[in-house]
Amino acid sequence: NRCYETRIKVVIDDKEYYMQTPVMNGKNPVKDNSMNQNRVWTSMCRAFVKCVAINTGLGFDLWLKEEDGRNLITRWLLLRKWIS
């Protein structure tokens, strides 16, 4: 049982950030027989968006309607502290 992952590097204002995410098929990790370039690309795009959101806060307003904004911002600040 292998779990394929993608790792990306995002450079923002001379700062480098890395994000590693699994290649998923819905909720399940992709297996050998269903691996394709589209799933790899989707994993890389999700990693990019997550990396930018975690490290800059950009894009968090997209989820404010679904969740309590204070809880989301608190989680973002705690995650930033944990990553640093």
Side-chain angles (χ1 to χ4, degrees), residues 10-65:
V10 178
V11 179
I12 302 172
D13 295 333
D14 298 328
K15 294 181 183 177
E16 295 181 357
Y17 305 103
Y18 293 90
M19 180 64 61
Q20 187 168 332
T21 58
V23 179
M24 302 295 284
N25 178 11
K27 291 183 179 181
N28 304 316
V30 170
K31 304 293 183 195
D32 290 336
N33 62 350
S34 64
M35 176 63 76
N36 62 39
Q37 187 59 37
N38 185 43
R39 292 202 171 122
V40 173
W41 175 250
T42 301
S43 175
M44 292 172 65
C45 290
R46 296 184 91 214
F48 172 78
V49 170
K50 186 175 180 180
C51 186
V52 170
I54 288 173
N55 292 295
T56 68
L58 184 64
F60 268 83
D61 59 338
L62 297 174
W63 293 281
L64 287 179
K65 292 178 185 174

